[in-house]
Amino acid sequence: MKLHELSLKEQLTGLKEGSFSSTELTQHYLDRISNFDKDLNSFITVTEDSALNQAKESDKRYKSNKALPLDGIPIAHKDIFCTEDILTTCGSKMLSNFKAPYSSTVVSNLSSDGVVVLGKTNMDEFAMGSSNETSFFGPVKNPWNKEYVPGGSSGGSAACVSAQLASAATATDTGGSIRQPAALCGLTGIKPTYGRVSRYGMIAFASSLDQGGVLARSAEDSAILLESMSGYDPKDSTSLNEDVPNFLENLDSPIKGMKIGMPKEFFERDLPNHVESSTKEAIETYKDLGAEICEISLPNVDLSLPVYYIIAPAECSANLSRYDGVRYGYRCENPKDIEDLYMRTRKEGFGAEVKRRILIGTYALSAGYYDAYYLKAQKCRRLVANDFTEAFKSVDLILSPTTPDTSFKAGEKSDDPIEMYLQDIFTIPANLAGLPGISFPCGNHEGLPLGVQLVGDSLKEAQLFQAAHQFQKVTDWHKKLPEVK
Amino acid sequence: MALSDKELNEIAYLARINIDKDSFPALKGELEQILDLFEKLNLAETDEVEAMSHPLNLSQPTRPDEVTEEDQREKLQETAPSVQSGLFLVPKVIEGEN
C-alpha cells in the first residue's frame, strides 16, 4: 500500500512502529502536491521547507521515545487560520500580502501535538461561497471530476484530502462550509458544537455561527484530529469551558437502541431520486445496526435560509469593517484623502460575493430596517433552535442528506446567488442552533459522491463519531477515493 | 422589494465601498433577489419570542486585570501598508488653512 492510501490512524501506527519516517511521509505528500496541485489548485501556500524541518524534528522525537500524540502526521490548514509569519490570505486580495503576526489556537494546538503543516488551503473569499469559485486565488477543482466544484467554502481543504495530498485538513463551517464540501468530495467532515473549538486567530466571518472543524477520510481520523484541536481557550470569550471527552473511546460501541430522527420537512422536499435513495439506504443501514428510526418535525426549519442570510451578512458587515487599508492588508494606490482610501481599498480588495454580503448586512442593520430584518431574524433563529431542543427530547441524532444534490459544474451557479445559497439548506440549521453536525459519504451518482448528515445535541460530538464510525464499519463509501492524475 | 439608486448609494457609503455607477443595475437586481428571500420571515409569529443573538447563553467571562500581552508594535506594524516612527500613515485627515 502506498503511503497516501493509509488512513491517518494507520500512518500514526506506521510512524510509531518505524515502518516509515515522518520525513518520508511528508516528502511523499509534497511530491504529490507538486505533481497534482497545479491543476486542482487546492493550496494557496505550500510550506515545503518548514514542513520538512517539522518532519525531521518529529523523527528525532520518535527515535528518543518522546513522540507527541499526532507526531509527524502531515496535514493542511484552511487559509482562514492565522499561521505566524506564514501568508494567511482568507482567499482574498485584501489579505493577499498578510503574514499573520501570531498563530491561531487551532494551529498551535495541533502543532503542540506534533503535526507537520504542508501548507494553507484555498477557500472561498472570507469563507463566503459554496463552490470555491469566489477565491482571489482561483477556483479549486473537484478531484472526482475536474469539471465540477469541490464545494465551499473549505473547498481547498476538501479537494486536497480527497486527492490524498494531505492526511487531513482543518476547515471552518459557518453555514455548511465543512459538511457540504465533505459531501461533494466523498469525505467525512465535522462541525463541532459552537464554542468547542477556539476561534482565536480564525479570521471572523459571522462570529455567532463560525466554528472550526475537520475534513478527513473517516470518522475515526476526524475524531483523532478534532480532539487535538478542541478545548477551552481563555483567548476566545465564546470558548466553552467544558472538558473535551475522549472522542475515540466509544467509537466501537454498538449503536443498538440509538434513536435517529428524520425531519419530515427535509424529506418532503423535491429531492433527486439518487439523493433520496442513497439517504434511504443509509437509514436502512442504521436500522440493521439496531438504531430506532422515527419521523420528527422541525416546523420552523424553512426559516433557516432567510434567517441565515440576514444574520451572517449582518455579522460579516461588522467584522469586515476592519479591512480599511490602514493597519494591514491591501491598500489602494494614491488615495486622495482618507475617505477615498477606505472606499477604494474596499472596492478593489473585496470580490463580488463579499461585497454583496457586506451591503446586505449593512442594509439589514441600518436605521429603520434593524427591527424588520435583523431583530426579526434573531427571533426566528430562536424558533429554529427551539425546534431542535424539542426534537432532542425524543431522539439522539437527526439524519438528513447533507446537500440537495451531488456536485455541480464550475460556473453553473456562480451568476445566481440564490441558487448557490440553496446548497446549504440542510446544513445551516445546525449553525443557527450551535449544534454539532457530521457529514460522511453514503453513495455515488455518476461518479460523484453523496453525503449524509447527522446532527447531534449540544456537546455530543462523541456520539456523532460513534454513529458515523459504526456506519463506516459496515459500508465502504468512505474508502472510495478518486484516482488523481 | 425594490431598491432605489439613492438607497444603494447610501448603503454603499455606510459600508465604505466604492461602487461604479454602471454596475448599479446588476447589483440592485441581485440584492433585491436576496431581500425577497427575507419575505418568508414575515409569516412567522414572533411577538412573544426572545431574540437569539448567540447560540450559547453565556455571560461575558472576566479575568484578573493582569498584563498578558507584551508590546509588539514593531512586529504588528511589519504588515502595515505605510508606517513612520511607529505610527500608521494615512492621507491627511484634517485640512489646514491652506
Side-chain angles (χ1 to χ4, degrees):
Chain A
M1 218 175 188
K2 294 182 184 121
L3 290 180
H4 61 269
E5 289 170 1
L6 300 172
S7 71
L8 189 154
K9 195 189 173 203
E10 290 165 338
Q11 290 174 347
L12 262 181
T13 310
L15 288 166
K16 275 180 203 155
E17 290 173 351
S19 316
F20 45 84
S21 68
S22 174
T23 304
E24 285 170 80
L25 185 61
T26 302
Q27 189 60 56
H28 181 74
Y29 277 123
L30 289 169
D31 290 345
R32 286 182 64 80
I33 293 170
S34 95
N35 288 338
F36 304 121
D37 203 51
K38 269 196 192 73
D39 196 19
L40 286 176
N41 199 27
S42 66
F43 280 86
I44 292 175
T45 306
V46 179
T47 49
E48 184 166 350
D49 293 345
S50 67
L52 287 169
N53 281 333
Q54 289 163 359
K56 215 155 86 190
E57 291 303 312
S58 167
D59 288 334
K60 277 190 209 158
R61 286 192 293 268
Y62 275 110
K63 283 210 179 89
S64 53
N65 282 321
K66 286 181 185 150
L68 300 162
L70 291 174
D71 224 330
I73 295 292
I75 65 158
H77 285 303
K78 184 175 181 179
D79 212 13
I80 199 168
F81 290 103
C82 286
T83 39
E84 190 171 355
D85 297 330
I86 294 169
L87 205 59
T88 300
T89 70
C90 220
S92 181
K93 180 178 180 184
M94 193 60 100
L95 290 176
S96 53
N97 59 1
F98 179 65
K99 282 193 178 160
Y102 63 94
S103 284
S104 62
T105 298
V106 160
V107 167
S108 308
N109 284 354
L110 286 165
S111 290
S112 5
D113 276 351
V115 301
V116 168
V117 180
L118 295 168
K120 307 290 294 289
T121 61
N122 206 338
M123 55 182 285
D124 278 301
E125 186 180 9
F126 284 106
M128 298 175 202
S130 306
S131 65
N132 218 121
E133 291 171 292
T134 72
S135 170
F136 174 65
F137 299 90
V140 178
K141 292 177 182 169
N142 190 321
W144 288 84
N145 183 332
K146 290 177 187 159
E147 287 178 27
Y148 287 75
V149 304
S153 66
S154 312
S157 287
C160 82
V161 177
S162 165
Q164 304 129 69
L165 309 184
S167 187
T170 56
T172 59
D173 190 313
T174 304
S177 287
I178 291 175
R179 291 159 289 156
Q180 185 252 14
L184 270 41
C185 288
L187 299 175
T188 303
I190 179 148
K191 176 202 95 73
T193 309
Y194 182 89
R196 181 66 103 181
V197 168
S198 168
R199 292 187 299 111
Y200 178 76
M202 188 178 110
I203 296 173
F205 157 18
S207 305
S208 80
L209 301 160
D210 296 342
Q211 183 58 202
V214 179
L215 280 158
R217 300 224 309 258
S218 67
E220 190 171 39
D221 286 358
S222 308
I224 294 173
L225 214 56
L226 188 70
E227 200 170 308
S228 164
M229 284 165 68
S230 303
Y232 174 63
D233 180 10
K235 289 175 178 166
D236 170 4
S237 65
T238 59
S239 173
L240 277 170
N241 199 348
E242 298 278 346
D243 289 339
V244 180
N246 181 340
F247 290 143
L248 298 166
E249 206 169 54
N250 291 328
L251 282 187
D252 282 311
S253 313
I255 57 159
K256 195 166 165 34
M258 203 181 262
K259 288 186 181 149
I260 300 180
M262 297 164 52
K264 70 179 167 74
E265 292 78 8
F266 285 166
F267 289 90
E268 278 165 0
R269 290 188 160 269
D270 204 8
L271 295 168
N273 283 337
H274 50 273
V275 174
E276 202 174 308
S277 61
S278 65
T279 313
K280 292 224 162 111
E281 218 173 284
I283 290 165
E284 288 308 313
T285 305
Y286 275 114
K287 279 186 189 160
D288 293 343
L289 287 166
E292 287 172 33
I293 310 288
C294 61
E295 189 181 88
I296 57 160
S297 175
L298 301 170
N300 295 291
V301 80
D302 276 352
L303 301 175
S304 301
L305 197 71
V307 165
Y308 179 83
Y309 277 98
I310 293 173
I311 289 175
E315 293 183 8
C316 119
S317 74
N319 273 328
L320 271 61
S321 65
R322 70 190 59 165
Y323 304 105
D324 56 6
V326 174
R327 289 152 303 152
Y328 49 83
Y330 176 77
R331 174 185 283 197
C332 67
E333 297 273 342
N334 305 317
K336 70 176 195 309
D337 54 30
I338 188 77
E339 198 94 293
D340 184 44
L341 184 148
Y342 295 150
M343 307 250 325
R344 252 187 326 116
T345 293
R346 290 163 65 78
K347 174 197 181 181
E348 295 164 16
F350 291 135
E353 178 61 19
V354 171
K355 282 191 261 200
R356 263 198 294 270
R357 297 207 198 180
I358 292 177
L359 292 171
I360 286 287
T362 305
Y363 184 70
L365 290 176
S366 62
Y369 295 103
Y370 181 91
D371 284 1
Y373 289 112
Y374 188 61
L375 193 65
K376 181 77 184 180
Q378 286 191 319
K379 289 180 169 197
C380 292
R381 179 178 185 176
R382 171 88 59 197
L383 294 177
V384 175
N386 286 348
D387 285 355
F388 280 102
T389 311
E390 201 51 45
F392 283 123
K393 286 179 185 164
S394 58
V395 296
D396 299 304
L397 300 172
I398 295 174
L399 182 147
S400 73
T402 309
T403 53
D405 206 340
T406 51
S407 181
F408 48 92
K409 280 193 174 160
E412 195 179 300
K413 298 183 198 289
S414 42
D415 293 331
D416 188 343
I418 303 288
E419 262 298 302
M420 193 69 92
Y421 296 173
L422 286 168
Q423 272 297 306
D424 294 331
I425 195 120
F426 298 128
T427 47
I428 283 173
N431 297 80
L432 295 179
L435 298 171
I438 192 166
S439 172
F440 47 97
C442 70
N444 192 295
H445 178 67
E446 294 178 347
L448 294 167
L450 282 154
V452 62
Q453 172 182 244
L454 290 173
V455 172
D457 203 353
S458 195
L459 299 171
K460 299 284 190 191
E461 291 86 0
Q463 209 173 15
L464 290 177
F465 285 132
Q466 181 195 355
H469 181 68
Q470 290 298 313
F471 182 90
Q472 292 180 336
K473 272 170 80 174
V474 295
T475 58
D476 60 359
W477 296 113
H478 66 292
K479 289 188 181 144
K480 297 190 196 300
L481 291 165
E483 200 183 317
V484 190
K485 286 178 201 143
Chain B
M1 160 124 200
L3 270 182
S4 66
D5 279 8
K6 185 168 167 274
E7 278 175 310
L8 183 53
N9 243 333
E10 280 169 8
I11 305 165
Y13 179 69
L14 282 173
R16 296 295 188 278
I17 297 177
N18 200 330
I19 296 171
D20 292 330
K21 280 275 179 286
D22 53 1
S23 61
F24 262 45
L27 185 60
K28 268 200 317 190
E30 288 161 4
L31 297 181
E32 283 165 4
Q33 242 193 321
I34 299 169
L35 292 172
D36 286 342
L37 187 71
F38 304 159
E39 296 295 318
K40 197 181 230 165
L41 297 186
N42 295 327
L43 302 173
E45 179 52 63
T46 53
D47 286 353
E48 304 294 316
V49 183
E50 196 191 335
M52 180 174 173
S53 56
H54 206 271
L56 305 173
N57 293 317
L58 281 180
S59 56
Q60 194 68 17
T62 57
R63 62 170 175 81
D65 186 15
E66 287 161 7
V67 177
T68 55
E69 297 282 335
E70 287 169 33
D71 178 30
Q72 298 187 62
R73 176 190 292 215
E74 275 166 32
K75 176 158 194 186
L76 293 172
Q77 289 194 329
E78 273 170 22
T79 52
S82 180
V83 164
Q84 195 183 308
S85 318
L87 303 170
F88 295 102
L89 286 195
V90 293
K92 209 167 168 181
V93 176
I94 303 167
E95 293 298 326
E97 282 183 12
N98 302 315

